[in-house]
Amino acid sequence: SNLNELIESLQRENTEKLSELKEAYQFQLEELKGNIRGMMQNEITRWLSMAYAAANAEPPRISVVRERIEDTLKLIEKGKAWLQPLG
């Protein structure tokens, strides 16, 4: 009987510790995702501004516009994997 109580007590403790760890990691993950979102937004804004400037140049610099748009699309694609909610 004492052994059963000990086992139950240990299981309860482990469950609580696991729960705390999970919460801590979830918080860190959300923080990391926030940082990644911020960096992505900055890059995308910068690249689209460059594309806009290149499009308005005389003559327009189409290759620059194309490159910046390609970079932006690639970054968004990469970011999707990072920013997916975890199952």
Side-chain angles (χ1 to χ4, degrees):
S1 173
N2 270 350
L3 184 57
N4 280 344
E5 284 171 22
L6 179 62
I7 289 171
E8 280 172 24
S9 165
L10 285 172
Q11 282 175 333
R12 257 196 314 276
E13 268 180 52
N14 278 342
T15 304
E16 285 167 19
K17 281 182 187 156
L18 270 175
S19 177
E20 285 170 21
L21 267 178
K22 198 175 164 190
E23 277 177 36
Y25 276 118
Q26 194 62 42
F27 178 75
Q28 285 182 323
L29 185 65
E30 289 309 313
E31 209 173 22
L32 181 63
K33 281 183 178 184
N35 292 342
I36 292 169
R37 255 186 223 107
M39 288 189 298
M40 281 180 67
Q41 273 179 322
N42 293 342
E43 281 293 75
I44 290 169
T45 301
R46 208 163 57 87
W47 288 341
L48 291 181
S49 298
M50 288 166 88
Y52 186 78
N56 284 322
E58 274 305 326
R61 298 175 60 209
I62 300 305
S63 63
V64 174
V65 175
R66 194 177 295 123
E67 278 171 31
R68 290 296 85 89
I69 291 173
E70 282 170 8
D71 290 341
T72 301
L73 291 173
K74 277 184 208 153
L75 183 65
I76 290 169
E77 201 50 47
K78 250 190 232 166
K80 271 189 209 166
W82 265 101
L83 302 174
Q84 287 299 323
L86 285 183

